[in-house]
Amino acid sequence: YQTIVTTYRKGNLLAIALGHGKTDWVKNVLAAGEADVHYTRRKVHITNPRILEAGSSAEGLPWLVAVQLRRMAVFVGDIAD
């Protein structure tokens, strides 16, 4: 399946604000521990998926995601090289 989300990148970090909460795709990626994401017309492989709860530290996140993290959870994954 494919789910369209808005992704934000900073270095090797990919972040997605979870405006709809922990949906099925989030649970599936967390369970698998990795996923492929189409980002800027190419596929990137993410590892170490995790959820940052609303209000947690936004250090190292893209600024727009840091703003959203104040009120909602954010999905974060490391882009594998």
Side-chain angles (χ1 to χ4, degrees):
Y1 295 101
Q2 294 182 6
T3 302
I4 298 173
V5 294
T6 302
T7 57
Y8 304 92
R9 182 177 183 173
K10 185 173 182 182
N12 284 335
L13 186 78
L14 192 73
I16 302 167
L18 299 176
H20 297 288
K22 296 176 187 170
T23 57
D24 288 343
W25 75 263
V26 175
K27 294 174 188 174
N28 289 339
V29 173
L30 291 172
E34 61 184 355
D36 291 325
V37 178
H38 291 275
Y39 176 77
T40 62
R41 298 183 187 170
R42 61 189 174 139
K43 186 174 13 176
V44 295
H45 188 75
I46 59 169
T47 59
N48 190 26
R50 55 208 178 272
I51 302 294
L52 302 178
E53 297 299 332
S56 58
S57 172
E59 185 177 337
L61 293 177
W63 73 270
L64 191 52
V65 173
V67 171
Q68 294 176 11
L69 183 60
R70 294 177 193 161
R71 296 190 175 192
M72 69 182 72
V74 171
F75 172 89
V76 178
D78 300 322
I79 298 173
D81 291 330

